[in-house]
Amino acid sequence: MAAHLKKRVYEEFSKVVQLPQEEAPAKKLRLTKPSKSAALHIDLCKASNPTDALQYLLHFARSSVEAESVEGVVRILLEHYYKEQDNSVRLKIASLIGLLSKTQNFNPESILDDTLNTFNTEKSHQVLAQLLDTLLVIGTHLPESLIVRHRLIEVAYKHLSDTYFGVRNKCLQLLGCLGNVDTPLNKDGQGLVPAVIGGSAPGVSGGVCVRDAQSLISDYFADQDPRVRTAAIKAMLQLHERGLKIQQTIYDQACQLLCDDYEQVRSAAVQMVWVLSQLYPESIVPIPSSNEQVRLVDDSFGKISHMVSDGSWVVRVQAAKTLGNMLQVSPHFLEQTLDKKLMSDLRRKRTAHERAKELYTSGEFSSGRKWADDAPKEKVDTSAVNLIASGACGAFVHGLEDEMYEVRIAAVDALSALAQSSASFAEKCLDFLVDMFNDEIEEVRLQSIHVLRQISTNITLREDQLDTVLAVLEDSSRDIREALHELLCFTNVSTKECIQLALLELLKNLTKYPTDRNSVWKCLKFLGCRHPTLVLPLVPELLSTHPYFHTPEPDMDDPAYIAVLVLVFNAAQSCPTMTALFSDHTFRHYTYLRDSLSHLVPPLRLPGRTQAPGVSGIEGSGSVESAQLFLQQSLSRISTIHNLQDPGAQDLLNFTIRDLQRLGELQTELAGAADFSATYLRCQLLLTKALQEKLWTMAVPLCLKHNAMATAAAKQMLEETYKLEFLYSGLENRQVATIHHVRLQAKALQLVLTARTRRGVEPLISVCEKFLQEVESFQRLFVVELPHLQESFVGKLLDLSPKLSACKPGELVKILQTTLRQSGFLNLQLPKQVQRASATIIEPTGESDNPLRFTSGLVVALDIDATLEHVQDPHNTVKVQVLYPDGQSHVIQPKPGDFRSPGPHRHRLITQVYLSHSAWTEACQIEVRLLLAYSSSRLCKAVWSDSSTEGLQPAEGATEGTISFGKPVKVFIMPKPARR
Amino acid sequence: MPEIKVTPLGAGQDVGRSCILVSIGGKNIMLDCGMHMGFNDDRRFPDFSYITQQGRLTEFLDCVIISHFHLDHCGALPYMSEMVGYDGPIYMTHPTKAICPILLEDFRKITVDKKGETNFFTSQMIKDCMKKVVPLNLHQTVQVDDELEIKAYYAGHVLGAAMVQIKVGSESVVYTGDYNMTPDRHLGAAWIDKCRPDILISESTYATTIRDSKRCRERDFLKKVHETVERGGKVLIPVFALGRAQELCILLETFWERMNMKAPIYFSTGLTEKANHYYKLFITWTNQKIRKTFVQRNMFEFKHIKAFDRSYADNPGPMVVFATPGMLHAGQSLQIFKKWAGNEKNMIIMPGYCVQGTIGHKILNGQKKLEMENRQTLEVKLQVEYMSFSAHADAKGIMQLIRMAEPRNMLLVHGEAKKMEFLKDKIEQEFTINCFMPANGETTTVITNPSVPVDISLNLLKREMALGGPLPDPKKPRTMHGTLIMKDNSLRLVSPEQALKELGLNEHQLRFTCRVQLQDPHSDPDTLSRIYTHLKSVLKGYTIQHLPDGTVMVESIVIKVSSSAEEPNTKVLLLSWSYQDEDLGSFLSTLLKKGLPSGLSSI
């Protein structure tokens, strides 16, 4: 065999190998490409000792090999393999073969036979294990080939009885990745009949008993080596992942493995039991030592719950996580997980939770003043106390008290998953979650607050629970406070005292941490909206009105007073009687706040007041549906325009853009769609204006002004298209095509303008080529959309395309000019949901007149706090730009950790930017803005602005590949000269 | 049969003066050497005369192990080592070794200086005693001598508390000391691996209690303190110097940090300062959070907690003060209490149990007027709260530990007899293992079945492997031939040849011969060949030869046929086999006794 191999190797590579030795003819030089393998061969031959060979191989492993030469390289390696005495070199070769067979576009089937042959001679266990690993790689690359799979499984089976654990591990892995449950594979009984290698039909050989991969693997559940046991379970899980159905018969075995001595086995067994419980949730299993039977999912739930008090924290984490995924468990079992019978000195004792509840229901406030207040009362029947929690008892009680915070977090997560699926469980776990607010690790506290928010739709907080929750408002961590505000937004409370309590605590929070202003106001807005009837009785007290006396008018700038007003106004929205309780200044304050904080104060129906036209406008237009209808109508009206040169088209566009803009302001739900369409239409309008017929006929020197106008228009169009494409989410392919189409139009316009202003053909040629490439790539990208673009600019251009590529730049420009003007208006189809990415910088406010002083040359940190909405993947796209008065600008990429996600589609950026500058004579403003970066991989903007006129240089503030979004904020800074 | 004997000298069905004697594999070990808080006479210390009437203890004990620094576990140590006399090694963990002498010195001062007792150990004795201490690390196996080894496990409870595994050969005992299965603010939970000891000696202070979640109590505590401070009131927390005090400090410190509170917290000085220093040092013995964050900041370097000065008690405004002693019977805590008792805005929180007769006990029971010395009365207006933070395992925790360690026998100490009874029943019922609860001076004997390790020669193993058969399965016994050599306290299993060689003996062949009479009409050679064919058909897979010298060989067994001239039909078969082939030989003899089947051809 080896001789045969050698021959084949030399057949293919003899030329290559000899190349350096004899002067090869020039035309054969092309063959030097696979010289890498040749070099390897030479190196390996040169290597005098195993260490050298190993070095060469290690060196070789770092270089990449083309798909065509892989086979040759493998043969050289194998040739050396047979010669090599040293285990480590053989091991490296085996691993290299595995690496090589991963090469793209290479079919590893060709080297399979050779690799399998090595098994016949190999004695070293480590090398065997590595070879099996190589087979695994080959097998996973050839998942379709049944024959290959059978052969590999045969090999795996043969080596399953190896004495080295590594080999057994790999065999099991192989079986897991490739084994089949349905088609049995051969088992040779007592070594009488050799396994049929390469036989395409299994089961041919007589006298073999037929077994499938599953039972084979499950035999190794009882292996003596824990690593092999783990591998066996993992292989079984692999089978499951590949979609093969695992039999229920191994359930008992898996349960036994839960009490294994080794943690990795237990951890894997937990997964195994879970998988089985998901496969056969409803089948019935008997309870040992009794006649009763339970559902399998309940049984396994109990067993996994038991693992929450395991000795190893890895297993505990695994078990706690797994519990969260067992949603089919019966409520009876589920509720046991929170149950822990307390006793003291053999007397039944109530838990603090129960006591709190009782106190609450009896209407008493907790005195807590007496010693032994919690003294145990009734005697416990000693025989009935079960100290070893059988089944699920108290699993979460343990999990939440665990020493390792990883376990606690896993338990909190599991609680959340289970509570979301069961309302009654949510009610029960409330106390425990609230307790977690007091955890020592902030991460755990935060997580439990988030979880409580997620399940808060199912629950109503009692007063004592609310009290505990509100205590956390004083936490010094901003994240915690904000998470809590978010939670309060979604919380239902039961009494008016609760509202009062919440308001009181929030105001306390406000005085302690004034930066929380916005968050607190927003929280109160939702609190008011949700509980109008509970707020109503509190109104006189809150506004401190008196039936007879006038009370002093509160200070309008007091954040606390604004907070109270926000609560009251939002409650008044759905409680019309409330307005009767307002005093005069309240109404005045209302109008002021409605104007200044319109997002927090809803429109109210005020009796006897003239209403602002804007307000009535909204109430007139009413629902979203009518606005939607209006949007549709406007767009369809536009679609009547066939050609942009039509008279009146411009006016229509102008009006529609105005309408859409207004609509966007009024109806926030449709703002995205309206803005999107308006921007699109504006692009069209710009194009129309630029193509004004009269001007184009004039001689070039006469219309410099027009040229400048058109150039600016083209540039603006380009910018708008980038905004259209990247600022809006929810776009479909159709819209993207439309946007790209506009961009092409803009570029064509630029090209035409360049041709008009520039003398000479030279620069034009490259620009034209570029443009044609763009058209081509457009065609490639949007093949599906092309039918819709028949009548448009591109449609017409593509009709002419064979001619285009051939013609001269001058002709091309002419064609473009006419096509641009003749092409029809492309209608915009709105997708279902368009959202505009937006950003608001909350901090710095830009209102401060006190400059930020620092010594020049040193840095000062500026805190930035901004909310981002509908931004996808903000970690990579959002950047902060700082613009100094001298035109310098810096772009800062915030750390990923600076982004938090308080809600869906919402992100919060809290970061610090470092400013520095040389000394100034007086304080000046710098501008801070947020940029949205987009990948400009397929954009050629840079090339365009380089080759075209100077007027096309990016304007001040615009950064390559970024869109500025959100309002910029000005900050006063004052770098002072350093004192000597 | 080998046995392990356990005799509690203290803490048998009792709490206090823990001292347990264990005899295992010929070694005697003393576990803990504590004093009893309740007595002031001889009963204060364990009765060491149980070990020997006169003379020193050194020759009777192999080592002494102290589980943690509480006086009921180490209080009698200088007495035992210096006054009774013991010079052997004393094992304890590093933190215990550091803190133990502080407490002993304090204890000595109170007894000698305050109460004026004589005949008590001196400062020098404490120092001498501590010189005999060998420190232990967690999970470190320490060889006390060639056979006895000990290993410490983390026990929670207080800083440096350890559980100890004592091992001689394959027999082992685990002593838990005091331990805690639920983590608290500064310590983790006890942990042990599945070491399957012969006896697990566990404390059982809370044998009949299942406790509520710690979080509720912590929250309550913090809420009460917070409310009082917000009202502008003062909070007094009487504590014992070590253990719970640090936990409460951490709790308040983190709370102050979290809530950004400004009110000062004071800690009355004394031996606490020294102790806090050790807490800072032994960070590795604390819980996950403290261990992980100490790089940024050592949690025991309190930011908000400052040393207390007597004059601060009269300062206006809110404050929190930790003061010793814990039961308000004397000292600083009592002085502060007297100053603050009159104001209903203030609060006192009792974090532990109070002995009857102390002021602590009185106010906990709601007494509003206290009679002080000089016939003064003190009106108690301040709020009195009770908040227990105990660091012992509850019944569930004990069960959990048993499940972790999987012992063969249980032994309960350090608890009240009545409560132990309950737990004993439960353990026997749930785990089906024996559970003992000896009283002081009562010996419990457990018979063990230790496995005896034998060295086996590699050649023998390889030879056995070569014979084939299934792979070795640890769960199934397998028989093999070999020679057991017991020499110089070691056991070895070697092949017979090697044994002979080593012992310098000649090998003696042992052969069995046996005659079997057979009725057969054929001639001798024919009979032989008939036997040959018969055996050939019966014994497949054996080498059977028909040798030309008129014998049949089956492996090494020789079969000959002879007949006397008188009775030619009665053939006498001569079987001869060596001792090694005993099985086959006896099989053949019984087979041939049955006679040959008819119809056998004679070829």
Side-chain angles (χ1 to χ4, degrees), chain B residues 346-384:
Chain B
N346 296 344
M347 183 190 299
I348 183 166
I349 298 179
M350 307 295 295
Y353 174 74
C354 291
V355 172
Q356 207 157 13
T358 58
I359 294 180
H361 190 257
K362 282 179 196 157
I363 57 169
L364 275 178
N365 282 326
Q367 212 166 314
K368 284 292 166 201
K369 280 214 168 102
L370 295 174
E371 277 186 38
M372 309 305 282
E373 62 268 32
N374 310 336
R375 298 228 182 131
Q376 288 171 332
T377 51
L378 184 68
E379 230 174 305
V380 181
K381 284 189 183 158
L382 86 179
Q383 289 182 58
V384 180

Side-chain angles (χ1 to χ4, degrees), chain A residues 79-265:
Chain A
E79 187 195 347
H80 196 79
Y81 178 90
Y82 288 109
K83 282 193 240 154
E84 185 57 59
Q85 297 298 313
D86 191 71
N87 282 346
S88 55
V89 178
R90 286 212 305 280
L91 188 106
K92 185 68 203 166
I93 291 178
S95 87
L96 266 181
I97 294 175
L99 266 180
L100 285 171
S101 52
K102 272 190 216 161
T103 317
Q104 273 198 339
N105 304 325
F106 172 70
N107 186 3
E109 203 167 351
S110 52
I111 57 166
L112 181 64
D113 278 320
D114 298 328
T115 319
L116 285 178
N117 277 330
T118 56
F119 279 90
N120 300 335
T121 54
E122 188 51 65
K123 288 281 176 290
S124 157
H125 294 299
Q126 273 95 341
V127 181
L128 267 180
Q130 186 58 52
L131 280 171
L132 282 165
D133 193 49
T134 305
L135 287 190
L136 185 66
V137 173
I138 295 177
T140 43
H141 274 73
L142 296 166
E144 308 86 26
S145 166
L146 250 177
I147 299 169
V148 171
R149 256 179 34 195
H150 273 297
R151 293 179 59 186
L152 294 182
I153 289 169
E154 291 294 345
V155 174
Y157 179 68
K158 238 172 76 185
H159 289 92
L160 256 183
S161 49
D162 197 285
T163 50
Y164 180 57
F165 80 94
V167 177
R168 295 208 295 277
N169 266 358
K170 288 290 170 197
C171 288
L172 287 168
Q173 215 178 334
L174 204 59
L175 282 176
C177 288
L178 304 170
N180 227 333
V181 176
D182 321 315
T183 41
L185 48 108
N186 303 338
K187 190 202 176 182
D188 40 352
Q190 287 85 53
L192 284 174
V193 187
V196 191
I197 290 187
S200 53
V204 178
S205 44
V208 297
C209 44
V210 164
R211 306 183 68 197
D212 60 354
Q214 185 189 336
S215 62
L216 207 54
I217 292 173
S218 65
D219 277 356
Y220 284 81
F221 279 3
D223 195 275
Q224 56 170 335
D225 193 309
R227 291 164 288 197
V228 178
R229 291 201 290 272
T230 318
I233 302 174
K234 293 237 165 94
M236 196 65 95
L237 289 170
Q238 180 77 30
L239 280 183
H240 168 72
E241 254 167 53
R242 285 172 48 222
L244 303 178
K245 197 156 172 88
I246 294 177
Q247 303 301 313
Q248 199 197 327
T249 43
I250 61 164
Y251 179 69
D252 284 337
Q253 272 179 299
C255 288
Q256 270 165 22
L257 285 173
L258 285 176
C259 340
D260 199 277
D261 279 9
Y262 291 83
E263 64 178 30
Q264 71 266 44
V265 181

Side-chain angles (χ1 to χ4, degrees), chain B residues 87-290:
Chain B
D87 299 320
I90 302 169
Y91 290 94
M92 51 177 84
T93 62
H94 285 280
T96 311
K97 189 190 173 189
I99 299 172
C100 189
I102 308 177
L103 287 176
L104 286 173
E105 182 60 34
D106 190 56
F107 172 46
R108 189 196 65 81
K109 256 190 214 159
I110 291 174
T111 355
V112 177
D113 300 353
K114 293 248 168 83
K115 293 183 189 158
E117 259 187 70
T118 50
N119 193 22
F120 203 72
F121 54 77
T122 60
S123 292
Q124 189 54 42
M125 283 180 178
I126 297 175
K127 278 178 196 157
D128 291 341
C129 165
M130 293 319 286
K131 280 178 192 154
K132 296 172 185 168
V133 170
V134 183
L136 275 177
N137 281 318
L138 278 188
H139 302 176
Q140 173 199 17
T141 306
V142 173
Q143 291 284 345
V144 177
D145 56 36
D146 288 344
E147 288 151 32
L148 175 64
E149 59 182 46
I150 56 177
K151 182 176 175 186
Y153 290 95
Y154 191 74
H157 190 62
V158 288
L159 193 79
M163 305 193 274
V164 213
Q165 184 193 28
I166 302 137
K167 208 170 162 188
V168 178
S170 66
E171 295 170 289
S172 64
V173 171
V174 169
Y175 174 60
T176 62
D178 290 355
Y179 64 101
N180 190 5
M181 292 302 282
T182 47
D184 63 30
R185 286 285 168 158
H186 70 310
L187 297 172
W191 180 86
I192 196 166
D193 54 22
K194 251 187 205 156
C195 52
R196 300 193 174 90
D198 289 306
I199 307 179
L200 176 68
I201 306 175
S202 168
E203 64 133 329
S204 52
T205 325
Y206 286 98
T208 53
T209 302
I210 301 175
R211 269 202 309 256
D212 198 357
S213 138
K214 199 147 195 154
R215 280 172 207 291
C216 298
R217 275 175 294 151
E218 281 178 0
R219 203 187 55 210
D220 267 10
F221 173 78
L222 292 173
K223 202 172 144 194
K224 279 169 191 163
V225 173
H226 189 189
E227 276 170 4
T228 312
V229 168
E230 283 218 326
R231 266 204 311 266
K234 297 176 169 64
V235 183
L236 175 65
I237 307 173
V239 285
F240 297 103
L242 290 168
R244 285 322 92 199
Q246 274 74 16
E247 185 188 355
L248 292 177
C249 281
I250 290 264
L251 194 60
L252 278 188
E253 167 83 10
T254 39
F255 187 72
W256 249 241
E257 189 92 16
R258 259 181 66 199
M259 296 305 183
N260 227 341
M261 310 235 303
K262 294 287 180 283
I265 309 176
Y266 296 114
F267 206 129
S268 80
T269 45
L271 68 167
T272 335
E273 196 123 304
K274 255 189 206 164
N276 262 350
H277 175 65
Y278 289 118
Y279 272 81
K280 265 182 233 171
L281 279 180
F282 295 109
I283 274 296
T284 45
W285 287 79
T286 53
N287 72 8
Q288 186 197 22
K289 149 115 189 178
I290 298 177

Side-chain angles (χ1 to χ4, degrees), chain A residues 7 18 81 173 216 268 378 407 423 532 572 576 656 671 681 739 803 850 890 948:
Chain A
K7 204 176 147 203
Q18 281 157 16
Y81 178 90
Q173 215 178 334
L216 207 54
E378 67 233 76
V407 182
T656 318
L681 293 179
I739 295 166
K803 220 167 84 191
N850 293 330
H890 292 161
S948 53

Side-chain angles (χ1 to χ4, degrees), chain A residues 556-821:
Chain A
M556 197 51 241
D557 289 332
D558 181 11
Y561 179 59
I562 295 179
V564 173
L565 285 185
V566 167
L567 175 75
V568 171
F569 289 149
N570 277 291
Q573 192 184 11
S574 44
C575 183
T577 51
M578 204 181 283
T579 45
L581 298 167
F582 293 176
S583 53
D584 281 347
H585 55 78
T586 315
F587 288 111
R588 263 187 287 121
H589 294 164
Y590 165 72
T591 23
Y592 170 68
L593 286 182
R594 173 78 194 118
D595 235 30
S596 59
L597 295 171
S598 52
H599 60 288
L600 291 173
V601 179
L604 291 183
R605 211 187 293 266
L606 298 179
R609 295 259 157 183
T610 49
Q611 286 168 350
V615 178
S616 66
I618 290 178
E619 279 168 298
S621 66
S623 60
V624 183
E625 283 83 39
S626 63
Q628 186 91 46
L629 196 66
F630 177 75
L631 184 68
Q632 288 304 332
Q633 278 169 353
S634 324
L635 286 180
S636 60
R637 197 155 26 132
I638 290 293
S639 67
T640 53
I641 306 175
H642 291 295
N643 195 312
L644 290 171
Q645 305 304 322
D646 288 346
Q650 278 196 30
D651 288 340
L652 184 55
L653 280 175
N654 265 328
F655 289 132
T656 318
I657 289 170
R658 200 199 59 202
D659 285 355
L660 287 175
Q661 275 172 339
R662 184 75 185 133
L663 179 74
E665 282 165 25
L666 293 178
Q667 203 71 48
T668 42
E669 286 91 343
L670 290 174
D675 275 355
F676 183 72
S677 344
T679 317
Y680 175 71
L681 293 179
R682 200 174 312 118
C683 285
Q684 296 296 343
L685 187 64
L686 280 168
L687 184 65
T688 322
K689 278 185 183 159
L691 291 175
Q692 286 285 344
E693 201 163 351
K694 281 181 280 180
L695 301 166
W696 287 92
T697 49
M698 270 187 252
V700 177
L702 291 178
C703 54
L704 274 177
K705 193 181 152 208
H706 168 250
N707 259 347
M709 199 272 280
T711 319
K715 193 183 152 292
Q716 200 186 341
M717 274 174 74
L718 267 181
E719 268 172 28
E720 297 281 358
T721 55
Y722 288 120
K723 278 191 192 167
L724 281 176
E725 188 174 353
F726 297 106
L727 215 49
Y728 295 88
S729 56
L731 299 185
E732 289 155 20
N733 207 22
R734 181 85 181 268
Q735 283 82 43
V736 179
T738 318
I739 295 166
H740 277 245
H741 178 248
V742 177
R743 194 173 302 157
L744 268 187
Q745 281 180 317
K747 284 179 178 172
L749 183 63
Q750 275 187 339
L751 180 58
V752 172
L753 286 167
T754 321
R756 272 169 71 95
T757 46
R758 280 273 175 90
R759 294 281 152 249
V761 190
E762 285 303 314
L764 217 52
I765 291 177
S766 65
V767 182
C768 286
E769 216 168 86
K770 262 269 118 64
F771 181 76
L772 287 177
Q773 272 176 16
E774 298 254 334
V775 175
E776 226 172 88
S777 71
F778 179 87
Q779 196 182 358
R780 231 186 9 252
L781 276 172
F782 303 106
V783 183
V784 195
E785 304 297 330
L786 280 181
H788 302 294
L789 305 171
Q790 250 350 301
E791 278 304 296
S792 67
F793 171 67
V794 172
K796 291 197 170 158
L797 217 56
L798 287 179
D799 288 343
L800 302 170
S801 61
K803 220 167 84 191
L804 281 180
S805 48
C807 67
K808 284 184 187 140
E811 287 171 51
L812 180 73
V813 169
K814 279 215 182 85
I815 295 173
L816 285 180
Q817 198 172 333
T818 43
T819 339
L820 265 181
R821 293 172 62 181

Side-chain angles (χ1 to χ4, degrees), chain B residues 383-532:
Chain B
Q383 289 182 58
V384 180
E385 301 285 351
Y386 176 73
M387 194 101 317
S388 142
F389 287 92
S390 178
H392 290 271
D394 64 355
K396 271 206 164 172
I398 296 171
M399 297 306 247
Q400 204 184 336
L401 188 84
I402 298 175
R403 205 155 65 88
M404 271 166 119
E406 293 188 3
R408 294 191 187 88
N409 295 285
M410 261 316 273
L411 196 143
L412 299 177
V413 294
H414 201 280
E416 291 163 35
K418 233 174 75 193
K419 298 182 179 176
M420 280 185 183
E421 202 80 55
F422 163 79
L423 191 64
K424 176 176 171 296
D425 287 349
K426 284 291 157 194
I427 291 170
E428 284 175 344
Q429 182 188 329
E430 307 261 8
F431 296 100
T432 58
I433 55 175
N434 285 326
C435 184
F436 306 95
M437 33 176 286
N440 284 338
E442 189 183 326
T443 305
T444 299
T445 310
V446 171
I447 294 181
T448 56
N449 193 6
S451 47
V452 182
V454 173
D455 291 333
I456 184 165
S457 89
L458 194 62
N459 283 333
L460 188 65
L461 259 185
K462 279 190 176 158
R463 205 164 71 182
E464 199 65 23
M465 282 281 285
L467 285 178
L471 274 176
D473 185 343
K475 282 164 195 149
K476 278 184 200 143
R478 187 168 155 174
T479 52
M480 62 189 296
H481 288 281
T483 312
L484 189 71
I485 303 181
M486 295 171 72
K487 201 175 155 190
D488 312 332
N489 242 346
S490 72
L491 297 174
R492 285 186 305 139
L493 190 66
V494 295
S495 60
E497 299 86 50
Q498 200 188 337
L500 284 170
K501 221 167 83 188
E502 275 182 35
L503 299 173
L505 295 175
N506 290 324
E507 186 177 358
H508 292 272
Q509 285 284 339
L510 192 63
R511 280 195 88 84
F512 298 97
T513 46
C514 156
R515 285 163 192 276
V516 178
Q517 288 207 337
L518 210 77
Q519 294 298 323
D520 198 269
H522 303 279
S523 69
D524 290 359
D526 278 358
T527 312
L528 197 65
S529 55
R530 273 162 57 88
I531 290 171
Y532 174 66

